[in-house]
Amino acid sequence: MNARSLTASEGSVQAAQPLLERAERADGSSPVSDQALIAAGQGQRELVVFTAPDDAEPVAVGIVGQGELDLVVDPSKRGAGIGTAALRLLLDSPAARAAAPGGSTGPLAWAHGENPAATALLRGAGFEPVRSLFRMALDPARLPAGDADPFAVELPAGFALRTFDAAAEAAGDAHPADAHAWVQVNSRAFASHPEQGRVTLEDFALMRAEPWFSPDDLFLVATVDTNHTAGFTWVKTLRGEDGIVETELYVIGVDPDFAGTGLGKALLRVTLARMAQHAPQRVTLYVDGDNTRAVGMYESAGFTIDSRSTQWRGPQVSE
């Protein structure tokens, strides 16, 4: 199929959701990141739906902007050249050209999981691999006993644990104190991370608006004497229609000022205790492949690498 056979039009996250869900069921992993969907929902990136002749439903979905692009082809339509044609249209779009000031760098794109078709598509378009992301999994039988209590985990001296305070938010405060504290620590903990480190208060509010969010799954640790937030851990709990419960270590972070205190390992124990309370059938997390210290910490807790995703950088885009 050539690019002229596809029709590209602006779409919404809601309209794209059925295709994204079909792709996740087929591939065993989310086809786009939470950050990409949040950015598209805020209008910071353009969401494009692709339709083909004689097809009423979208055959592919793309998200482009902020120097990145995502592309998902409906599993039932793969192998017909749709991906190649849609990628060409995305790379030629104004959003892709605007994301490359002066054409100095090309856009970034993820191939999620071991995906030979995506790898071949990106390599054929001149993309080169630049970064890896591991999905790690833990046998649920290795979680603490079912009566585990996150608040019973021993913390380093001088720190106290609490859950995210949603009361102020419920009372109408769009950005309660704990939200400010979380964003500040997150930005410091992930200062060099290309996605996580740039989460804003508005992004954080959208993340908390997701149906899976529970304030009881978001833990903050602070100094006892000054109540200064020093770290956090966040569990993402998904309950499928099939009854399967999956707990994901969504993100864990420690302010660099408190590095070396043992907070990271303590927060991981808090995470596992909270996961145990959900009695999940799947336990996962995502971590950058080159973050050997974090990978080692998770391996010591029993996690193993379940799949590898690769980020690719495309050729320079002319404005």
Side-chain angles (χ1 to χ4, degrees):
M1 177 176 292
N2 59 53
R4 292 182 180 180
S5 300
L6 285 182
T7 300
S9 59
E10 186 176 352
S12 67
V13 173
Q14 183 178 5
Q17 203 62 48
L19 190 153
L20 298 179
E21 291 174 356
R22 289 195 296 274
E24 182 166 2
R25 287 194 297 270
D27 300 333
S29 60
S30 177
V32 297
S33 67
D34 287 347
Q35 288 84 358
L37 287 174
I38 288 172
Q42 289 183 310
Q44 297 172 348
R45 301 187 193 182
E46 182 180 351
L47 189 146
V48 181
V49 294
F50 297 94
T51 54
D54 304 323
D55 257 311
E57 297 296 321
V59 296
V61 169
I63 299 177
V64 61
Q66 297 180 318
E68 300 183 12
L69 67 81
D70 292 83
L71 176 62
V72 187
V73 178
D74 191 306
S76 67
K77 306 294 182 181
R78 294 173 182 173
I82 291 173
T84 300
L87 179 59
R88 186 175 301 116
L89 289 172
L90 282 180
L91 291 173
D92 288 341
S93 70
R97 293 195 296 270
S104 57
T105 61
L108 294 167
W110 281 103
H112 295 277
E114 280 87 13
N115 193 329
T119 297
L121 173 65
L122 293 169
R123 200 178 285 282
F127 283 70
E128 295 292 338
V130 293
R131 180 180 162 206
S132 64
L133 182 73
F134 295 165
R135 182 176 68 184
M136 303 186 73
L138 177 72
D139 181 351
R142 300 193 63 170
L143 290 172
D147 58 353
D149 180 3
F151 291 96
V153 172
E154 184 177 355
L155 299 177
F159 295 97
L161 186 72
R162 69 179 188 274
T163 53
F164 182 83
D165 181 8
E169 189 170 40
D173 185 348
H175 302 307
D178 276 357
H180 284 275
W182 184 90
V183 169
Q184 182 177 41
V185 174
N186 179 75
S187 64
R188 287 175 55 78
F190 295 96
S192 61
H193 195 280
E195 295 106 17
Q196 187 65 34
R198 64 189 188 197
V199 174
T200 65
L201 274 169
E202 289 71 24
D203 296 335
F204 185 40
L206 288 172
M207 294 156 77
R208 300 197 306 281
E210 290 291 325
W212 52 261
F213 173 73
S214 169
D216 295 333
D217 278 344
L218 176 51
F219 295 84
L220 305 176
V221 64
T223 56
V224 173
D225 54 352
T226 63
N227 196 33
H228 181 85
T229 303
F232 60 83
T233 186
W234 191 349
V235 175
K236 177 178 180 178
T237 304
L238 299 174
R239 302 181 185 277
E241 294 180 358
D242 56 2
I244 298 295
V245 177
E246 178 175 354
T247 54
E248 176 190 326
L249 198 176
Y250 193 51
V251 60
I252 185 170
V254 174
D255 189 308
D257 285 348
F258 299 94
T261 61
L263 272 184
K265 292 182 178 179
L267 283 168
L268 180 55
R269 292 194 294 271
V270 168
T271 306
L272 298 178
R274 178 56 178 163
M275 287 177 163
Q277 292 180 328
H278 288 295
Q281 285 75 48
R282 287 197 289 262
V283 179
T284 59
L285 63 83
Y286 291 86
V287 61
D288 275 291
D290 61 358
N291 190 344
T292 54
R293 183 174 181 178
V295 171
M297 181 177 74
Y298 297 139
E299 287 179 333
S300 69
F303 284 85
T304 57
I305 297 172
D306 181 56
S307 69
R308 293 171 170 83
S309 298
T310 304
Q311 189 177 55
W312 299 70
R313 183 174 292 281
Q316 295 182 3
V317 179
S318 301
E319 291 192 72

